[in-house]
C-alpha cells in the first residue's frame, strides 16, 4: 500500500465520526482520491501536505470525467473531512460554488417511490431482511437504520426513537407512530428481535448487510431508497390533504398563499422525520 493510501486509511480508522455506512463511503472515496493523485504524478505525497493545487487538479479531472454534481460534492465532502482532521480547513472552500460545482438537480417531479411488494417479500427467506424492508416503507428509515433498529428500545408508544449511532451524521431523531398498522408492525419486530436489533445476534452488521444485499438482489429490489420516497409521499398527502407534485399533485406555482404555508410546514416535518435538516431536500422525494 502506498504511503498516502496507508495514512488516509489510518486517519479513517482513528476518527470514527458518522454512521458505519458514512465511514465506509468516506474511506472508499479517500482511497480513490489517493489513487488518482498518484496517477496525476503527485508522488510520495504526505497526507499533511494537502494543498489547493491538489484540490484543483482533482476537480479538473472529475469535470473531464463528466461526473454528476452530486458525485463531485460527495468527494469534496471527503476532502473537507481530510482537511479538517489535519487542521487545514481553508484548503477546500466551504462553498462548492466557489469551486465551480453546480447545484444538485433535486427536482424532477417524477416519483421514485417504491412500496414493499408482498410477492417479493414472500420470496425472501431471512425474516430480519423482510422486517427491515417493511420498516423502511412504514417509517422512512434508511437501510442501515432499519437493520440496526432495536424495536424494544425504540418503541415509545406514540413515536419511535432512533439512536444517533444508527443514523447518518450521528443525529438522533423521532418519528411518530400514527397508524394501527405501524403499531402492529412494531409488535412483529419486537417478537422477532426480542431485546436486540434486526441483525441476528451471531452476526456483525457487515455480515447481515451482505445477506440483505443478496436477498434483495434475488427478488429484484434494486433501490430500497425508494421506500423512503414512498413514506415521504404518503406523509405529504396526510399532512396537506393533497398529493405531492411527484404523484401528479399541484406544483408550487399552482398553490395558493395559504396552501404554500401548509406545503412548507409539511416539507419541514417530513425532512426532520427522514433525518434531514433542510426543506430543500424534500424536493427530491416530493417534487416541486
Amino acid at each position: 500500500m502506498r504511503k498516502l493510501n496507508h495514512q488516509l486509511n489510518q486517519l479513517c480508522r482513528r476518527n470514527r465520526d458518522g454512521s458505519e455506512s458514512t465511514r465506509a463511503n468516506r474511506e472508499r472515496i479517500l482511497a480513490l482520491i489517493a489513487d488518482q493523485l498518484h496517477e496525476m504524478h503527485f508522488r510520495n505525497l504526505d497526507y499533511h501536505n494537502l494543498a489547493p493545487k491538489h484540490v484543483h487538479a482533482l476537480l479538473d479531472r472529475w469535470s473531464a470525467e463528466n461526473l454528476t454534481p452530486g458525485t463531485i460534492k460527495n468527494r469534496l465532502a471527503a476532502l473537507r473531512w481530510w482537511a479538517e482532521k489535519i487542521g487545514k480547513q481553508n484548503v477546500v472552500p466551504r462553498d462548492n460554488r466557489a469551486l465551480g460545482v453546480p447545484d444538485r438537480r433535486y427536482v424532477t417531479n417524477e416519483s421514485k417511490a417504491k412500496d414493499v411488494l408482498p410477492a417479493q417479500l414472500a420470496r425472501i427467506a431471512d425474516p430480519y431482511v423482510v422486517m427491515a424492508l417493511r420498516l423502511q416503507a412504514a417509517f422512512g428509515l434508511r437501510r442501515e437504520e432499519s437493520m440496526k433498529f432495536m424495536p424494544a428500545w425504540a418503541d415509545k408508544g406514540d413515536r419511535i426513537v432512533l439512536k444517533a449511532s444508527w443514523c447518518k451524521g450521528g443525529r438522533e431523531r423521532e418519528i411518530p407512530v400514527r397508524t394501527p398498522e405501524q403499531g402492529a408492525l412494531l409488535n412483529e419486530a419486537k417478537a422477532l428481535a426480542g431485546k436486540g436489533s434486526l441483525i441476528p445476534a451471531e452476526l456483525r452488521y457487515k455480515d447481515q448487510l451482505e445477506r440483505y444485499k443478496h436477498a434483495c438482489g434475488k427478488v429484484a429490489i434494486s433501490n430500497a431508497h425508494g421506500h423512503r420516497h414512498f413514506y415521504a409521499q404518503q406523509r405529504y398527502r396526510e399532512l396537506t390533504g393533497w398529493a405531492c407534485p411527484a404523484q401528479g399533485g399541484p406544483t408550487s406555482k399552482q398553490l395558493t398563499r395559504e396552501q404554500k404555508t401548509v406545503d412548507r410546514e409539511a416539507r419541514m416535518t417530513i425532512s426532520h422525520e427522514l433525518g434531514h435538516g433542510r426543506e430543500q431536500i424534500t424536493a427530491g422525494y416530493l417534487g416541486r
Side-chain angles (χ1 to χ4, degrees), residues 170-199:
R171 296 186 294 268
E172 181 178 298
R173 73 180 190 275
E174 297 183 358
I175 303 171
V177 178
R178 313 175 323 276
T179 68
E181 291 77 15
Q182 286 178 315
L185 179 60
L186 288 171
N187 288 335
E188 287 186 52
K190 284 184 280 190
L192 174 64
K195 293 184 178 180
S197 72
L198 291 175
I199 302 171

Side-chain angles (χ1 to χ4, degrees), residues 32 39 46 58 75 105 148 207 213 224 249:
L32 172 66
E39 291 169 6
D46 186 280
L58 287 164
R75 294 184 181 183
R105 184 171 179 261
K148 293 183 176 180
D207 301 323
K213 291 178 178 177

Side-chain angles (χ1 to χ4, degrees), residues 7 20 50 79 122 130 149 204 246 281:
Q7 289 178 327
E20 192 161 345
L50 179 66
L79 274 175
V130 171
F149 189 72
R204 298 172 299 171
I281 204 73

Side-chain angles (χ1 to χ4, degrees), residues 10 14 47 51 59 74 80 119 127 130 154 164 166 170 179-180 182 197 214 217-218 220 228 237 245 274:
Q10 293 303 304
R14 292 195 302 269
Y47 79 133
L59 278 171
N74 287 337
R80 288 192 183 94
V130 171
W166 306 344
T179 68
Q182 286 178 315
S197 72
H214 179 71
K218 287 183 65 176
R228 280 165 59 80
R237 184 186 291 270
L274 291 176

Side-chain angles (χ1 to χ4, degrees), residues 247-263:
Q247 287 188 311
T251 64
S252 177
K253 293 181 179 180
Q254 295 170 327
L255 299 178
T256 66
R257 181 179 298 178
E258 292 76 15
Q259 287 174 324
K260 286 184 178 180
T261 299
V262 174
D263 170 82

Side-chain angles (χ1 to χ4, degrees), residues 18-30:
S19 68
E20 192 161 345
S21 62
T22 297
R23 296 195 302 267
N25 286 334
R26 181 190 299 139
E27 187 171 341
R28 176 184 57 78
I29 290 171
L30 289 176

Side-chain angles (χ1 to χ4, degrees), residues 122-231:
R123 293 165 53 201
I124 297 177
D126 189 329
Y128 290 89
V129 173
V130 171
M131 183 56 66
L133 290 166
R134 293 175 66 192
L135 286 167
Q136 288 169 23
F139 292 99
L141 304 186
R142 296 182 177 95
R143 181 179 64 188
E144 183 173 346
E145 294 167 351
S146 70
M147 295 173 64
K148 293 183 176 180
F149 189 72
M150 299 173 65
W153 184 90
D155 185 5
K156 309 302 181 186
D158 62 341
R159 68 195 187 285
I160 59 171
V161 178
L162 304 184
K163 289 185 179 182
S165 59
W166 306 344
C167 303
K168 183 177 181 179
R171 296 186 294 268
E172 181 178 298
R173 73 180 190 275
E174 297 183 358
I175 303 171
V177 178
R178 313 175 323 276
T179 68
E181 291 77 15
Q182 286 178 315
L185 179 60
L186 288 171
N187 288 335
E188 287 186 52
K190 284 184 280 190
L192 174 64
K195 293 184 178 180
S197 72
L198 291 175
I199 302 171
E202 69 276 11
L203 297 179
R204 298 172 299 171
Y205 169 72
K206 182 171 68 172
D207 301 323
Q208 182 63 9
L209 178 59
E210 289 305 311
R211 293 175 63 168
Y212 174 102
K213 291 178 178 177
H214 179 71
C216 289
K218 287 183 65 176
V219 299
I221 296 178
S222 59
N223 182 17
H225 200 75
H227 301 149
R228 280 165 59 80
H229 288 256
F230 177 81
Y231 173 87

